[in-house]
Amino acid sequence: GATTALFCALLIACCSAQHPPEYYENCYLLSYEWDFTLSWTIRDNTWIDLQMQAAVTGYIAIGFSTDGSMTGGRSGPGFADAYASSHTSVSEDLCYQGCVLDVYMRSEDQPRKDTIADASNIYTSKVNGVLTAQFTRALNT
């Protein structure tokens, strides 16, 4: 019905950022409220190219765990490996003109910066209120 048609139209639209739509093999709408989408392609069973997009004023993030669980600290879930992105115009901010931070969080309240940065091909932008973050990481880190 109409809901299926809308969802399909959103899936087509979500994969049309910096890479052409056909670049990402998968695209999933995570939140209607923030128009938050996650797109990805797995290459050679070794690498994953990811794109996150959302209409937010703060940051967007994704977390990975070895067992699929998301348990952790008092203020939220814990992650074995996570990536957070923001894009600000304030020169004193950590993510001035965009960044993708490689962090981990194991039962703490605040994420910690990973000492081994394993994200590459990093790209961020903020256009018309939509934050886009793209990066590549190994499937197994």
Side-chain angles (χ1 to χ4, degrees):
T3 303
T4 302
L6 174 63
F7 185 70
C8 290
L10 288 170
L11 283 179
I12 291 167
C14 81
C15 295
S16 61
Q18 299 305 312
H19 289 296
E22 61 274 7
Y23 181 80
Y24 294 106
E25 295 174 355
N26 305 283
C27 183
Y28 189 76
L29 180 63
L30 299 171
S31 168
Y32 285 105
E33 182 178 357
W34 294 293
D35 204 15
F36 187 5
T37 59
L38 176 66
S39 303
W40 70 95
T41 295
I42 296 174
R43 293 183 288 117
D44 303 323
N45 284 332
T46 304
W47 303 100
I48 184 167
D49 299 316
L50 292 151
Q51 174 181 276
M52 299 182 292
Q53 280 189 309
V56 295
T57 56
Y59 70 93
I60 53 178
I62 184 170
F64 301 90
S65 71
T66 56
D67 64 1
S69 69
M70 305 269 299
T71 59
R74 293 176 303 228
S75 66
F79 303 99
D81 201 8
Y83 300 87
S85 180
S86 184
H87 198 282
T88 73
S89 58
V90 178
S91 61
E92 295 82 24
D93 284 353
L94 178 63
C95 284
Y96 173 63
Q97 296 184 338
C99 73
V100 171
L101 301 174
D102 184 359
V103 298
Y104 68 95
M105 188 170 134
R106 298 189 195 265
S107 300
E108 297 113 24
D109 289 330
Q110 296 294 321
R112 297 179 186 196
K113 191 170 181 183
D114 197 337
T115 56
I116 301 171
D118 51 11
S120 61
N121 302 322
I122 295 171
Y123 171 83
T124 64
S125 70
K126 183 89 179 243
V127 178
N128 297 326
V130 176
L131 175 59
T132 299
Q134 297 174 343
F135 61 94
T136 300
R137 75 180 291 264
L139 280 175
N140 296 309
T141 62

